[in-house]
Amino acid sequence: MKKIKFMDVSFRDGFQSCYGARVKTDDFLPVLEAAVEAGTDNFEIGGGARFQSLYFYCQEDAFDMMDRAREVVGPDINLQTLARGANVVGLVSQSRDIIDLHARMFKKHGITTIRNFDALMDVRNIAYSGQCIHNAGLKHQVVIALMGLPPGLNESYCHTPKFYLDKLKEILDSGLPFDSVAFKDASGTTTPAVVYEAVKGARKMLPEGTVIEFHTHDTAGMGVACNFAAIEAGADIIDLCMAPVSGGTAEVDILTMWHRLRGTDYTLDIDHEKILEVESMFIDHMDKYYMPPEAKEVNPVIPFSPMPGGALTANTQMMRDNNSLHLFPEVIRNMREVVAKGGYGSSVTPVSQFYFQQAFANTVQGPWKKITESYGKMVLGYFGKTPADPDPEIVRLASEQLGLEPTTEDVHDINDRNPELGIDYNRQLLEKEGLPTTEENIFISATCGPKGIAFLKGDGPLGIRYKADVEAEAAKKVQPKSASAAAAPAPKSSSGAYTVTVDGRAYNVTVAEGTGAVQSVSPAAAQPAAQPDASSGEGTPVEAAMPGTVIALEVEVGDQVNEGDDVLIIEAMKMESPVKSPTSGKVLSIEVASGDAVASGDVLMYIG
């Protein structure tokens, strides 16, 4: 009987899929220690969203978390992190010196292996980072990024077994050093048949003894079947989770997969009674955290519009925060077209966020009225080469709206020329703030931006969603009825502009003072807001293209700006999006402050 190994990804991908990666270190370290005592020797412990989230929301140091994890597990346990090729652990791609610094710092802080992927499967994007990982003395696990294509699309090559094996051949031909290969499906949409053929073909191509690992989520309900297909095809290791962060948007539970293998020629080498005990302990330790219901759901719509399990919950939570969750079904429907016209990059961070942002913009502003910056740069080639050529009309719109020409240049060369990237620039930022210029701090600044600096200064806000806080907020929204209601003060006027949703479509409406009359102003996504008369002194409004949170103001009242200048940064759907001035002129007024939540169409400032 063949013993199949597994990696427990509860403490990285499980946290990301179920809690938006917002979990305190003190709450999981005892569970990690218990899992080691139960016999698990292979853990995913950080990277991906679990790097930035510690600085953004938990106000903890990711390097300290890694050090503490290594101390708990001892010297011999494999601790693995996730890296996004040229992006390393952030949402934007980096210059070469920061990519090299990533590998050296993670080695210094106790990591054994780095899993290294590129969503576009552009081998150039993982070649340099992979070499840095190898040079640092870490084990390098190179990734083939999987995704099931939505049905009905006219594409017969991308994301087929042949496509994946051609990409593996590119990796082998490049001479890139690696210690193992992972087939990683972040959305859980690849069919078992494709998984089987791809892994089986890889087993024939790879040198004897090369370890093959398989990773999928259960978002579409196919996790168990795909894991078994990978095992039958020759995979050595599969990625699994423990309750409460198993199933649904996360990975299949360890015990579920153990049960599936009973009576077959394979088994997981576990003591199931000990795993039961650890899972019970884990459930108790995580009970304080709020888990949105969709985190544990199998969603049959996902294969039609691939959304990664690790991003789905984070996106729905942000939509809740910005009162736009009602738009989620339509956004998911619009992703199918966005994926196809964008060149079929794998739906995994950061490309999954490019897709989601563009699908959201298409939903609230009308199809292709606005090309979001990240999606536009992707189709123009600024993040690498997409698996298929993007739609020419979308490329034209992106070039026109962003003022950029298409490129085939290596992203590392582009970033190395950027004066606002790299070690020297970030050292200067730290010096300006009076902060220590350690290599760790330089890396935090480079990958976490202003939020990283805020953490280092002790100014970052706590953003963890605890169950008690969510329940308290929900209770506040419930207004109890009482007999004394008639004597209560008159309610505030309800006049003003609102966005309402009918049958899944958003409409702008105006309620007139004292009349109760409602005027509809056509679908919100179909018509831009009216422009104020510049002669009145108001100037031209700068509006939010999508709901989000203002995280930085780039200008002050009185500043002169040119059309296309960045005037404000909004964080929306896990991405920071600059808002550009629609005209040249003086900043007449600023209507928002850093930290404000804004809705689509809100006026942010006036320029005239």
Side-chain angles (χ1 to χ4, degrees):
M1 182 175 292
K2 182 177 180 180
K3 291 181 179 179
I4 304 299
K5 297 181 179 179
F6 69 93
M7 180 166 72
D8 186 345
V9 299
S10 302
F11 308 114
R12 202 288 298 175
D13 211 351
F15 285 163
Q16 183 174 335
S17 299
C18 295
Y19 304 119
R22 308 179 188 192
V23 175
K24 285 279 192 179
T25 302
D26 284 342
D27 291 328
F28 81 85
L29 281 185
V31 184
L32 174 63
E33 184 174 17
V36 173
E37 291 174 357
T40 304
D41 60 2
N42 192 15
F43 298 92
E44 188 180 44
I45 200 65
R50 271 293 286 174
F51 187 84
Q52 287 184 322
S53 67
L54 289 172
Y55 302 102
F56 289 6
Y57 307 114
C58 302
Q59 298 313 309
E60 293 188 346
D61 184 5
F63 293 116
D64 178 65
M65 182 275 293
M66 293 182 226
D67 290 340
R68 294 178 67 191
R70 174 55 70 191
E71 183 178 355
V72 163
V73 304
D76 300 325
I77 300 296
N78 181 54
L79 293 182
Q80 182 163 310
T81 59
L82 182 68
R84 301 161 177 159
N87 288 48
V88 290
V89 291
L91 295 173
V92 296
S93 55
Q94 298 289 342
S95 54
R96 285 184 173 91
D97 56 353
I98 295 296
I99 294 171
D100 180 63
L101 183 60
H102 160 248
R104 292 191 288 109
M105 289 299 94
F106 277 51
K107 170 65 175 178
K108 176 181 176 181
H109 290 280
I111 299 306
T112 314
T113 305
I114 294 181
R115 174 179 290 175
N116 187 33
F117 77 91
D118 178 59
L120 299 182
M121 282 306 301
D122 185 337
V123 174
R124 295 177 301 174
N125 287 355
I126 55 176
Y128 183 75
S129 55
Q131 187 66 54
C132 291
I133 292 166
H134 176 77
N135 292 347
L138 292 155
K139 292 183 178 179
H140 177 218
Q141 185 176 84
V142 71
V143 172
I144 304 296
L146 311 180
M147 179 182 72
L149 287 184
L153 297 181
N154 185 26
E155 174 57 42
S156 58
Y157 174 63
C158 291
H159 298 288
T160 63
K162 178 172 173 36
F163 170 77
Y164 297 135
L165 296 176
D166 284 349
K167 288 297 177 182
L168 181 57
K169 186 175 186 303
E170 280 187 51
I171 292 169
L172 291 170
D173 290 345
S174 73
L176 171 63
F178 62 86
D179 298 276
S180 58
V181 176
F183 284 81
K184 174 181 169 66
D185 182 4
S187 58
T189 53
T190 307
T191 64
V194 171
V195 170
Y196 180 83
E197 291 300 328
V199 174
K200 183 179 179 181
R203 177 53 72 205
K204 294 177 181 178
M205 290 174 60
L206 290 166
E208 186 175 353
T210 303
V211 171
I212 296 178
E213 189 158 352
F214 179 70
H215 170 103
T216 193
H217 292 244
D218 208 25
T219 321
M222 297 192 296
V224 171
C226 286
N227 280 335
F228 192 73
I231 289 169
E232 287 200 303
D236 304 287
I237 306 176
I238 56 176
D239 289 359
L240 301 171
C241 266
M242 294 189 295
V245 294
S246 55
T249 60
E251 286 74 18
V252 172
D253 193 276
I254 296 169
L255 293 171
T256 300
M257 203 65 217
W258 169 79
H259 189 61
R260 169 62 183 89
L261 296 180
R262 295 175 69 186
T264 71
D265 294 331
Y266 312 97
T267 186
L268 291 182
D269 189 17
I270 65 169
D271 183 326
H272 56 274
E273 295 293 344
K274 289 183 178 179
I275 298 295
L276 273 171
E277 292 177 6
V278 178
E279 291 202 359
S280 178
M281 178 185 182
F282 198 16
I283 290 167
D284 288 342
H285 278 252
M286 293 296 106
D287 185 61
K288 68 175 73 173
Y289 292 96
Y290 172 69
M291 185 184 295
E294 61 271 16
K296 300 294 285 185
E297 292 178 349
V298 168
N299 191 332
V301 175
I302 293 301
F304 295 86
S305 300
M307 168 55 63
L312 188 150
T313 306
N315 285 329
T316 55
Q317 281 294 89
M318 282 184 281
M319 295 182 83
R320 275 192 184 89
D321 293 344
N322 295 293
N323 298 313
S324 59
L325 186 60
H326 58 279
L327 298 175
F328 183 72
E330 188 171 352
V331 173
I332 289 295
R333 283 193 295 271
N334 286 336
M335 275 190 69
R336 184 190 322 207
E337 182 182 35
V338 168
V339 170
K341 290 184 180 294
Y344 296 105
S346 297
S347 188
V348 59
T349 307
V351 167
S352 58
Q353 291 309 116
F354 303 164
Y355 288 155
F356 194 82
Q357 282 190 319
Q358 187 61 56
F360 192 94
N362 287 0
T363 300
V364 300
Q365 295 183 278
W368 307 110
K369 299 295 184 185
K370 166 70 175 177
I371 303 295
T372 61
E373 182 172 25
S374 295
Y375 184 86
K377 285 185 174 180
M378 179 186 73
V379 300
L380 290 171
Y382 286 86
F383 302 132
K385 179 174 173 53
T386 54
D389 291 336
D391 183 272
E393 176 61 14
I394 302 304
V395 172
R396 184 190 69 79
L397 288 172
S399 180
E400 183 179 278
Q401 292 186 24
L402 300 182
L404 295 170
E405 291 298 318
T407 182
T408 59
E409 191 176 8
D410 189 318
V411 65
H412 302 86
D413 294 335
I414 296 172
N415 291 339
D416 282 350
R417 291 197 304 270
N418 187 338
E420 296 188 357
L421 294 176
I423 288 175
D424 288 343
Y425 176 75
N426 285 282
R427 181 184 290 113
Q428 292 169 17
L429 290 180
L430 294 169
E431 290 173 346
K432 182 179 178 182
E433 297 293 341
L435 294 167
T437 57
T438 64
E439 289 186 313
E440 286 85 351
N441 285 359
I442 288 170
F443 188 76
I444 292 166
S445 174
T447 55
C448 298
K451 290 184 178 180
I453 297 291
F455 164 80
L456 293 172
K457 293 171 66 178
D459 295 338
L462 191 66
I464 295 174
R465 294 185 178 94
Y466 291 113
K467 188 186 298 183
D469 295 335
V470 173
E471 291 172 351
E473 282 295 318
K476 285 180 182 178
K477 296 177 182 179
V478 178
Q479 299 295 327
K481 295 181 180 180
S482 69
S484 60
K492 294 181 180 180
S493 169
S494 60
S495 63
Y498 297 84
T499 299
V500 299
T501 302
V502 179
D503 293 333
R505 298 200 69 186
Y507 293 81
N508 292 324
V509 299
T510 302
V511 180
E513 177 73 49
T515 66
V518 177
Q519 294 177 301
S520 175
V521 191
S522 68
Q527 188 178 59
Q531 299 290 323
D533 183 0
S535 65
S536 69
E538 287 185 308
T540 300
V542 179
E543 298 178 345
M546 61 179 63
T549 301
V550 177
I551 62 169
L553 294 167
E554 302 292 298
V555 295
E556 297 178 353
V557 172
D559 286 353
Q560 289 287 334
V561 298
N562 296 317
E563 181 179 349
D565 284 353
D566 293 349
V567 294
L568 182 146
I569 307 293
I570 287 179
E571 182 181 67
M573 310 310 154
K574 279 180 73 179
M575 297 292 288
E576 294 180 5
S577 300
V579 177
K580 298 183 181 298
S581 175
T583 186
S584 298
K586 181 190 293 185
V587 178
L588 302 178
S589 68
I590 297 176
E591 308 298 316
V592 294
S594 183
D596 285 355
V598 297
S600 178
D602 280 0
V603 175
L604 308 173
M605 62 182 66
Y606 287 97
I607 295 174

